[in-house]
Amino acid sequence: MPGFGLTMGLTLTWLSVIILIPLAGLFLKSLELSPEQFWNILSSRRTLNALRVSFGLAFAAACVNLVMGSIIVWALVRYRFPGRRIFDAIVDVPFALPTAVAGVALTALFAEKGWLGAPLAALGIKVAFTPVGIFVAMIFIGIPFVVRTVQPVLQDLDPEIEEAAGSLGASRWQTIIRVILPSLAPALLTGLALAFARAVGEYGSVIFIAGNLPNVSEIAPLLIVIRLSEFRYADATAIAVVMLVVSFVIIFAVNRLQRWAQNRIPAR
Amino acid sequence: MTIEVKNLVKQFGSFKALDGVDLKVDSGELLALLGPSGSGKTTLLRIVAGLDWPDAGEVLINGEDALAQGARERHVGFVFQHYALFRHMSVFENVAFGLRVQPRAVRKDEATIRRRVKELLDLVQLDWLADRYPSQLSGGQRQRIALARALAIEPRILLLDEPFGALDAKVRKELRRWLRSLHHEINVTSIFVTHDQEEALEVANRVVVMDKGRIEQIGSPDDVYETPATAFVHGFIGESIELPVRVEGGVVRLGDRPLNLAADGLVSGASRLFVRRHDMLVGPPGSGAFEGAVRHVRNFGPVQRAEVALSGGETIEIDAPRGRELRAGDTIGLEPRRYRIFTG
């Protein structure tokens, strides 16, 4: 293959400089801790709770985005309605908006006196300054990942296969479950993984709405920043290393799943 | 199963896809809908299948109102031009699909489904491909699988939309013959859409020629070829010479020259004269209704195709049998063995 040496060399160099070397630094820094210290930091109640909040809520938010994102994609791709292009553009807003702006906007909206916060408070639901707020912010920033990954695949999906399924006697529901979703599965899984990864790493928008109560609504990235500001660098890197490893394992697993789904549909 | 279509009208925006179509298909027929693109043939097929709905008119399948049912209830096998196979399913699962989605009450058990799929794959002679995926098949194989899939539900009628349209010429010819013998074997009432006249004439028992949302002629392949009902049919089927003529008082004129052709019963006015290329007989100069000079000649197997400039200036192409070789520059007389004149 011509160009293999060149492109492979560039790929490895670039990935090393941009990703691998900084991450290696992270691991090196955490080596300053003895295994016992490392374990103590990780098993402290505050760290465990922060990790639980971050990963748990990120996964829940990614699942919500998967469902809602799929519905939005379906509407955008399959139907023609006035304002479709505008809605299509709005999907990208969470990509572009500075996350701090998003955080402030969501906080104002869901605060007890806010437009949405007030009616919810009347129902006894508190969003701002609780884990629910974190969940909302994570949904907000994750939605474009699902939409943009699934959209091109759905556009490529020939509507004729739905007609074929229908004429073979499949109900609408059977067509969705047996024909459409399996065809979209690889893209849906990629979208899920991306939305999840984004939500785990999200900092800017979450800290405004979270309330940041230790053990309740404190996310792991914030805990890292707090440790840094206390000059406890090793503590910070220890938490960072754990986040890195867990994220990597989860994304790798989703990737394998996606690969498996993809292989069931050999390339055309 | 019979299919009956009454006064079907369908409009897409300002485009009239179907403009009052009446058609009756008898049980066990293999009917071709033939026409150029935009003639409404695919729309008609899709309406019969329940994939589209008419603005007005009736569709009866076996005497029952089909428009009251969706595609799912009609029990119609449909084969798409671009196969529409399920990419994520193996060939086996594609064929089994229609059996697996049946309501639980009538669904067959797994062993029966397997046996039935095996039978169908044998029928289309592709049992050895059961475990492959559609992307690993050739176009002709895909279309045969699509047909097996449509037959799995034991459809009351079979509808094929340009089934060979996406295939190359050689495979098309093979599949045509194969489709005809398959129809002979299973004998299910079938309609197929095509824009290829050769395909329609070779495969179908009856041909429906359509243009601009209307039926121009319904007849056996021989009928539509030998006795075209309209100028459109004559021009569309078979290779024809078309000349603008005028009929005045029983005389046919090309330009200002009277032609020695019978014009009994023809309405006076602007008309069009149609002659099949091979129906122009070549003779010595002055011997026929036309005279012209041979421009050039190409040989196609049993015939020589000559471009002839008529004395009035029109240029036509004729197919003359080999034997009496034509040469560029020859002056020849031409006599139409058979011809049709259509007013308008």
Side-chain angles (χ1 to χ4, degrees):
Chain A
M1 286 286 193
F4 174 76
L6 183 67
T7 49
M8 197 61 202
L10 271 175
T11 304
L12 289 181
T13 314
W14 194 248
L15 283 181
S16 304
V17 171
I18 298 290
I19 300 179
L20 292 179
I21 293 176
L23 292 186
L26 190 66
F27 278 95
L28 280 179
K29 185 75 189 169
S30 71
L31 286 181
E32 287 175 11
L33 297 162
S34 71
E36 197 185 336
Q37 284 172 311
F38 190 85
W39 180 248
N40 283 340
I41 293 166
L42 286 190
S43 56
S44 80
R45 189 163 154 257
R46 192 169 173 187
T47 313
L48 283 179
N49 278 324
L51 289 172
R52 193 175 50 81
V53 167
S54 271
F55 284 105
L57 289 176
F59 185 71
C63 289
V64 170
N65 276 332
L66 182 69
V67 175
M68 293 314 295
S70 310
I71 295 171
I72 292 171
V73 169
W74 185 263
L76 288 177
V77 172
R78 279 299 159 87
Y79 307 117
R80 294 289 167 268
F81 50 90
R84 187 179 66 95
R85 284 177 187 287
I86 296 171
F87 282 110
D88 196 62
I90 285 174
V91 168
D92 282 334
V93 167
F95 267 144
L97 200 65
T99 51
V101 176
V104 172
L106 287 173
T107 310
L109 195 60
F110 283 103
E112 241 167 288
K113 299 259 155 57
W115 289 347
L116 288 176
L120 284 173
L123 294 171
I125 302 169
K126 226 166 145 303
V127 176
F129 315 121
T130 68
V132 183
I134 304 177
F135 181 58
V136 170
M138 284 175 167
I139 290 175
F140 175 83
I141 47 112
I143 192 80
F145 289 89
V146 175
V147 174
R148 289 293 174 244
T149 341
V150 179
Q151 200 171 24
V153 182
L154 184 61
Q155 270 161 354
D156 269 359
L157 199 67
D158 192 348
E160 272 187 358
I161 66 166
E162 290 164 46
E163 295 182 342
S167 77
L168 289 167
S171 65
R172 199 63 201 136
W173 184 241
Q174 284 172 317
T175 305
I176 292 170
I177 296 295
R178 285 171 175 266
V179 175
I180 297 170
L181 283 183
S183 304
L184 296 181
L188 288 171
L189 286 170
T190 310
L192 178 78
L194 288 174
F196 170 75
R198 179 76 175 82
V200 168
E202 177 57 11
Y203 176 77
S205 62
V206 170
I207 53 161
F208 283 98
I209 199 170
N212 305 325
L213 222 63
N215 296 323
V216 178
S217 58
E218 186 177 60
I219 56 169
L222 177 66
L223 187 58
I224 294 173
V225 173
I226 289 171
R227 291 294 180 243
L228 287 175
S229 63
E230 295 165 351
F231 304 107
R232 291 161 68 178
Y233 296 129
D235 288 40
T237 49
I239 302 170
V241 162
V242 171
M243 284 195 78
L244 189 71
V245 170
V246 174
S247 297
F248 185 76
V249 167
I250 292 175
I251 290 174
F252 188 74
V254 175
N255 235 313
R256 293 304 304 234
L257 203 61
Q258 186 238 337
R259 181 74 55 83
W260 170 79
Q262 183 85 62
N263 279 345
R264 295 176 59 222
I265 314 172
R268 263 190 277 200
Chain B
M1 293 288 163
T2 60
I3 307 167
E4 200 175 348
V5 162
K6 289 182 189 164
N7 197 24
L8 222 51
V9 176
K10 172 77 181 178
Q11 200 146 351
F12 294 108
S14 62
F15 175 71
K16 259 208 161 110
L18 292 177
D19 189 8
V21 167
D22 292 282
L23 179 63
K24 227 176 151 168
V25 188
D26 294 330
S27 196
E29 262 197 293
L30 176 53
L31 185 95
L33 292 179
L34 174 65
S37 46
S39 59
K41 53 195 192 309
T42 294
T43 308
L44 176 55
L45 196 76
R46 290 175 56 87
I47 288 174
V48 174
L51 301 174
D52 249 323
W53 300 89
D55 299 331
E58 280 182 77
V59 177
L60 304 174
I61 297 178
N62 221 20
E64 293 163 29
D65 179 16
L67 294 180
Q69 302 172 317
R72 192 184 167 208
E73 291 87 34
R74 279 192 209 179
H75 236 75
V76 163
F78 199 95
V79 175
F80 295 84
Q81 178 174 6
H82 298 289
Y83 330 120
L85 292 175
F86 306 128
R87 281 195 288 151
H88 62 284
M89 292 183 199
S90 66
V91 162
F92 184 94
E93 286 304 320
N94 264 282
V95 177
F97 184 85
L99 301 171
R100 294 207 192 282
V101 297
Q102 281 182 329
R104 195 151 303 167
V106 294
R107 199 183 300 159
K108 314 273 191 301
D109 60 74
E110 182 66 24
T112 315
I113 291 178
R114 295 204 151 263
R115 199 169 55 240
R116 177 95 185 103
V117 173
K118 175 84 173 54
E119 279 168 19
L120 286 159
L121 289 175
D122 283 341
L123 182 70
V124 298
Q125 297 152 9
L126 290 177
D127 50 316
W128 48 287
L129 290 177
D131 299 326
R132 304 276 186 90
Y133 283 86
S135 57
Q136 298 164 310
L137 309 184
S138 72
Q141 290 170 338
R142 286 184 208 184
Q143 199 54 294
R144 283 194 274 168
I145 296 302
L147 190 55
R149 182 180 67 174
L151 290 174
I153 57 168
E154 290 173 37
R156 302 191 293 167
I157 54 179
L158 183 63
L159 306 173
L160 306 103
D161 182 15
E162 300 260 4
F164 313 130
L167 305 172
D168 62 61
K170 188 163 175 289
V171 180
R172 280 173 94 116
K173 285 210 163 133
E174 279 169 27
L175 279 190
R176 260 185 224 165
R177 255 169 253 140
W178 176 80
L179 176 66
R180 204 175 43 189
S181 64
L182 181 79
H183 179 261
H184 193 71
E185 204 171 321
I186 58 179
N187 207 30
V188 56
T189 310
S190 310
I191 305 181
F192 78 99
V193 158
T194 180
H195 62 264
D196 180 343
Q197 41 157 315
E198 213 181 306
E199 196 167 290
L201 298 181
E202 189 181 327
V203 178
N205 310 126
R206 245 178 1 136
V207 178
V208 176
V209 186
M210 293 186 68
D211 184 42
K212 298 195 183 102
R214 291 178 159 280
I215 291 181
E216 294 275 324
Q217 186 173 5
I218 305 179
S220 70
D222 283 346
D223 285 345
V224 294
Y225 187 83
E226 299 294 341
T227 50
T230 65
F232 173 80
V233 177
H234 206 307
F236 188 71
I237 295 181
E239 308 216 45
S240 299
I241 299 162
E242 182 183 343
L243 290 169
V245 295
R246 281 196 74 78
V247 178
E248 275 161 17
V251 179
V252 183
R253 287 171 185 277
L254 175 63
D256 50 6
R257 287 165 295 142
L259 298 175
N260 185 18
L261 295 172
D264 309 331
L266 288 175
V267 183
S268 292
S271 302
R272 279 183 286 168
L273 169 73
F274 285 88
V275 186
R276 300 269 181 226
R277 282 176 176 176
H278 58 86
D279 282 338
M280 272 297 195
L281 301 182
V282 178
S287 65
F290 304 95
E291 193 170 90
V294 178
R295 286 272 186 73
H296 51 80
V297 182
R298 280 168 299 157
N299 288 323
F300 284 99
V303 300
Q304 41 188 341
R305 178 161 300 169
E307 200 179 291
V308 180
L310 298 182
S311 50
E314 302 85 358
T315 303
I316 61 172
E317 276 193 334
I318 62 165
D319 286 345
R322 304 287 288 273
R324 182 182 185 278
E325 297 298 319
L326 295 174
R327 249 174 277 282
D330 289 357
T331 304
I332 54 173
L334 292 168
E335 174 66 15
R337 172 164 50 186
R338 280 191 307 175
Y339 60 91
R340 296 290 298 267
I341 294 171
F342 294 98
T343 308

